[in-house]
Amino acid sequence: MNSEDNLETLQEYIDWCFDVIVMKKNQNACSPVKSETPSSKRSRPADSPETTSPTGKSFTDILDSIDKRLSSFDARLSLVEILHREFKSLRESLEFSQQQVETLAAENASLRDSVKSLTENVTHLNEENKKIKETVIDLQARSMRDNLVFSGIPESAEEDAEATVKSFIKTYLKLPEDTVENICFERVHRLGAKKPGAPRPRPIVAKFGYFKQKEQVKSRGRELKGTDFSVNDQFPKEILERRKVLFPIRRSLIQKGSRAVIAVDRLYVDGRLYRDLSTTPWLY
């Protein structure tokens, strides 16, 4: 029997009880009041209208049944109340969690904006740092503009580096003696610390007093072809690394018939600057 049938049966019991009570009142009103003795009460038929239901159950049994059913309904109502409280608690917990989610979402959005701003600042700082670095490299290159590096010249104990360079220029670069004697150096010295047992002698750096004299000596570098000596401009380490990348490219372009010239750390092909992100990233 389902809950609807239970309710219907309960309603029938309640209606019957109501009818019994009303009928008893009507009988009392239409007949004279009679006093009943305990014996007369005991002798009353069990199936009289006052004590017997249409279904054959006594009034007491019906009330007991109603009481049991009401108790069952009370238990169910108690369970519903418990479930209601649990649901209310869950709803409050859900609302609190929702507030936390909204707070976290707002904080996340704020953090995302902060990260974006920091990323933009870092990008800007990297660009500025790159510019500063390039400026420093350019200043170093300019400070070395009047320098030549002589490589392969044997070392000797207690040598005079300037006299060694002048002797080399006269002997191997074949400049006239009077021209060599007029060359003015600001400073001449070996590069780095002396290392006993080194396979090659340390290069000599010579800073010329006049740029034209430096270019005159440099132009005689062709006389060293086929020897172990070399004369080159001095550059910062960064530019030397860049030139190492550019020389093979220049050689390949020349073999294809192009006119390629390297100026410091830039390669010009047929008068136009060579730019390639994979090989010349410093130009970007």
Side-chain angles (χ1 to χ4, degrees):
M1 182 180 295
N2 55 30
S3 59
E4 293 182 357
D5 294 335
N6 289 335
L7 291 175
E8 184 177 353
T9 302
L10 178 61
Q11 183 64 45
E12 291 177 357
Y13 288 156
I14 293 173
D15 292 342
W16 177 83
C17 292
F18 179 80
D19 292 338
V20 170
I21 294 170
V22 171
M23 183 174 61
K24 188 174 182 180
K25 286 184 177 180
N26 291 334
Q27 289 176 352
N28 292 335
C30 296
S31 61
V33 178
K34 295 181 180 180
S35 59
E36 292 183 346
T37 63
S39 59
S40 63
K41 292 181 180 179
R42 285 194 299 268
S43 62
R44 180 180 297 169
D47 56 351
S48 64
E50 290 82 356
T51 58
T52 304
S53 69
T55 60
K57 293 183 179 181
S58 67
F59 186 73
T60 302
D61 293 336
I62 293 173
L63 292 178
D64 290 340
S65 177
I66 292 174
D67 184 65
K68 291 179 181 180
R69 293 174 184 273
L70 290 176
S71 298
S72 176
F73 288 139
D74 288 341
R76 294 182 183 181
L77 287 174
S78 298
L79 179 60
V80 170
E81 291 178 357
I82 294 173
L83 293 176
H84 177 71
R85 287 196 297 269
E86 292 294 331
F87 176 77
K88 182 179 180 182
S89 177
L90 288 174
R91 184 175 60 186
E92 292 175 351
S93 177
L94 180 61
E95 292 175 353
F96 178 74
S97 298
Q98 183 65 27
Q99 292 176 355
Q100 287 185 319
V101 169
E102 293 175 355
T103 301
L104 290 175
E107 292 178 354
N108 183 54
S110 177
L111 288 174
R112 186 164 53 244
D113 293 339
S114 298
V115 170
K116 181 180 178 181
S117 177
L118 288 174
T119 302
E120 293 175 352
N121 290 337
V122 169
T123 302
H124 178 71
L125 289 175
N126 286 337
E127 293 176 354
E128 291 296 323
N129 183 58
K130 181 181 178 180
K131 291 179 181 179
I132 293 173
K133 183 178 180 180
E134 290 300 320
T135 301
V136 172
I137 293 173
D138 181 67
L139 291 174
Q140 290 178 331
R142 290 178 183 275
S143 69
M144 298 175 179
R145 183 171 176 268
D146 298 327
N147 297 1
L148 284 179
V149 179
F150 297 83
S151 302
I153 301 176
E155 292 188 54
S156 59
E158 304 298 330
E159 73 175 355
D160 183 344
E162 183 175 333
T164 300
V165 170
K166 285 187 175 183
S167 175
F168 177 82
I169 293 173
K170 285 187 295 184
T171 304
Y172 293 95
L173 298 183
K174 299 180 174 56
L175 279 177
E177 184 174 353
D178 57 342
T179 301
V180 175
E181 291 301 325
N182 289 329
I183 293 176
C184 178
F185 292 107
E186 291 188 10
R187 187 183 180 191
V188 182
H189 64 92
R190 294 272 181 180
L191 275 176
K194 188 174 182 179
K195 298 180 180 179
R200 289 180 59 83
R202 292 175 295 164
I204 297 177
V205 178
K207 184 175 182 61
F208 289 77
Y210 299 99
F211 181 75
K212 288 184 178 181
Q213 290 181 343
K214 177 246 183 178
E215 288 296 303
Q216 185 181 20
V217 173
K218 178 183 173 182
S219 66
R220 304 294 293 180
R222 60 181 179 273
E223 300 293 337
L224 301 177
K225 188 176 181 179
T227 69
D228 294 331
F229 306 112
S230 64
V231 177
N232 298 290
D233 289 301
Q234 186 184 25
F235 295 107
K237 179 181 177 180
E238 292 82 359
I239 291 181
L240 288 176
E241 295 296 328
R242 296 172 183 178
R243 288 170 67 87
K244 287 180 181 179
V245 174
L246 294 177
F247 277 122
I249 300 173
R250 173 179 177 271
R251 188 182 306 112
S252 176
L253 291 171
I254 290 176
Q255 291 174 353
K256 294 178 182 179
S258 299
R259 181 175 175 273
V261 179
I262 294 178
V264 190
D265 60 348
R266 285 164 171 72
L267 173 62
Y268 293 88
V269 182
D270 296 328
R272 300 180 63 182
L273 178 63
Y274 175 86
R275 293 170 62 93
D276 185 342
L277 184 59
S278 62
T279 55
T280 58
W282 60 87
L283 298 178
Y284 294 87

